[in-house]
Amino acid sequence: MSVTAPRGFAAAGVAAGLKSTGKPDVAVVVNRGPHKVGTAVFTSNRAKANPILWSQQAVADGVVEAVVLNSGGANCFTGTFGFQTTHQTAEKAGELLGVSPGDVLVCSTGLIGTGDEVFRTKVLDGTTAAIGSLSDDGGEDAARAIMTTDSRPKNAVVSRGGWTIGGMAKGAGMLAPGLATMLVVITTDAVLDRDAADAALRSATRTSFDRLDSDGCMSTNDQVTLMVSGASGVVPDTDEFADALAELCRDLAEQLQGDAEGASHDISIEVVGAASEDDAVVVGRSVARNNLFKAAIFGNDPNWGRVLAAIGTTDATFDPYDVDVSFNGVRVCSAGGPDRPREDVDLTPRATHILIDLKSGDAAATILTNDLTHEYVHENSAYSS
């Protein structure tokens, strides 16, 4: 049931006509529990959409009663009109729910630079319809309503001793930190204060969504929201909650990776033997963003030279002539030189594992990415048509 698996939440997804396909495009998630705690993390792109600008202000007091999300239009670079549209969306939701508009977050996804009176009317009408359709099992409908180029909804649920975390996500392209082009709503019925919720969310996103780097492109609309209802009445151990939240976020991040636009390989780049975790992340990301490497994986070519060339552009601590590289369990490079024959590597499975041993320390990190395919280029060349 996704975001409605925890107690105290209701959700809905409706079709408001923002998509030409007639599919659902406006979602609402509402916290009906005794606690209204909320926190969020946002894109680090300096170019931020109007919903991001609004939600950053609204979440500052740590109270979130509801989130309204639309697909079919990013409402980004739409000027004063666009910000007013976001503001009116929060006001409409606040009016219908009997809460302060300042406690309503807004998220949008879709094409940048488009927005007019028709768009505004559809968003507001969709908000009205979604609130009128709220139900305790509406999480799946909400997850479908936020999809754009996604081929399927992404949901996850983790339960522990008497409390539950639920989440939904969308995203299939522009997947790169900070965050990814994604909208994520996470709910829990555990009892947490704002500081504990915020710390757990930032820790979880750091090792999940922030390490998903599908195509190196950062969105203007990324937002991950955590809402706390406290409806279970259970105060969890903070470490246990943080672990459970990290598990849920990793699950959603892997679902986003698996649905990346046009991808034929899901690539996990594991970097070990790093002098620091930051070094491991930098090295892994350098490979994930290397188009020559990604094209080689698409062609089932274990071209380890492209891995070494990519990591050599970083300032991480290591000796490039003492690095080992393995593809799907076969070490093809040892100490910066050839090892087993490339013919020993099978890259036909979708799941692809790259292991890079820097031999410079004990730190490690894994970056998730995808290959570069004809389908990815085609889909993004026709995105606005």
Side-chain angles (χ1 to χ4, degrees):
M1 291 189 296
S2 182
V3 291
T4 50
R7 286 161 283 188
F9 293 95
V14 300
L18 292 167
K19 295 177 181 173
S20 59
T21 59
K23 294 181 179 180
D25 47 29
V26 175
V28 176
V29 181
V30 177
N31 183 351
R32 290 175 167 170
H35 298 280
K36 311 294 184 181
V37 174
T39 186
V41 290
F42 304 92
T43 181
S44 59
N45 197 326
R46 291 171 57 200
K48 292 178 170 60
N50 288 302
I52 296 293
L53 298 174
W54 168 268
S55 294
Q56 285 180 315
Q57 297 176 28
V59 78
D61 64 355
V63 177
V64 178
E65 299 258 13
V67 184
V68 180
L69 312 94
N70 78 269
S71 55
N75 193 11
C76 179
F77 289 114
T78 47
T80 302
F81 175 87
F83 189 80
Q84 290 173 346
T85 300
T86 297
H87 193 173
Q88 289 182 26
T89 302
E91 288 182 327
K92 173 61 70 174
E95 173 191 347
L96 295 172
L97 294 170
V99 303
S100 168
D103 295 331
V104 178
L105 305 191
V106 180
C107 303
S108 297
T109 182
L111 191 63
I112 293 171
T114 60
D116 54 21
E117 288 288 353
V118 175
F119 172 82
R120 174 184 285 178
T121 297
K122 289 179 178 179
V123 171
L124 294 177
D125 288 349
T127 300
T128 300
I131 290 174
S133 302
L134 287 169
S135 71
D136 295 341
D137 59 357
E140 181 70 21
D141 290 338
R144 292 186 178 279
I146 61 176
M147 293 167 52
T148 49
T149 56
D150 307 64
S151 68
R152 54 187 179 271
K154 288 92 174 171
N155 298 300
V157 175
V158 173
S159 294
R160 292 289 189 268
W163 50 269
T164 298
I165 309 173
M168 68 177 187
K170 67 77 50 183
M174 291 183 78
L175 294 176
L179 304 182
T181 190
M182 57 187 181
L183 303 182
V184 180
V185 177
I186 301 168
T187 58
T188 184
D189 54 17
V191 178
L192 295 166
D193 62 26
R194 195 278 177 114
D195 288 344
D198 187 69
L201 181 62
R202 293 180 187 280
S203 175
T205 57
R206 185 183 66 83
T207 58
S208 57
F209 302 122
D210 278 349
R211 295 191 181 168
L212 174 63
D213 205 323
S214 179
D215 53 15
C217 299
M218 185 189 299
S219 174
T220 56
N221 289 64
D222 305 331
Q223 182 170 325
V224 180
T225 303
L226 171 62
M227 304 169 69
V228 180
S229 73
S232 70
V234 178
V235 179
D237 175 80
T238 54
D239 289 340
E240 183 181 11
F241 181 83
D243 288 345
L245 182 59
E247 177 185 334
L248 179 130
C249 289
R250 285 193 297 268
D251 186 339
L252 290 175
E254 289 172 359
Q255 290 184 54
L256 293 169
Q257 178 196 26
D259 197 27
E261 293 170 345
S264 64
H265 290 79
D266 300 331
I267 309 167
S268 299
I269 303 170
E270 182 183 2
V271 181
V272 300
S276 67
E277 185 178 2
D278 287 345
D279 272 7
V281 170
V282 166
V283 166
R285 201 178 308 288
S286 71
V287 179
R289 293 187 172 184
N290 187 282
N291 285 339
L292 292 176
F293 163 78
K294 294 158 77 73
I297 297 299
F298 172 58
N300 296 329
D301 176 13
N303 192 331
W304 55 269
R306 291 180 174 176
V307 173
L308 293 183
I311 70 176
T313 65
T314 73
D315 60 0
T317 299
F318 64 90
D319 179 354
Y321 301 99
D322 192 29
V323 172
D324 293 350
V325 179
S326 300
F327 284 68
N328 281 350
V330 178
R331 193 174 68 180
V332 287
C333 168
S334 176
D339 195 350
R340 290 176 59 181
R342 299 183 186 193
E343 292 75 18
D344 289 356
V345 179
D346 181 10
L347 287 179
T348 56
R350 184 177 180 99
T352 303
H353 180 253
I354 310 299
L355 177 64
I356 303 169
D357 188 350
L358 300 179
K359 301 179 184 176
S360 297
D362 299 321
T366 299
I367 302 295
L368 306 179
T369 191
N370 309 92
D371 53 350
L372 180 59
T373 68
H374 302 302
E375 289 76 12
Y376 174 83
V377 175
H378 173 73
E379 184 160 344
N380 284 281
S381 67
Y383 181 73
S384 61
S385 61

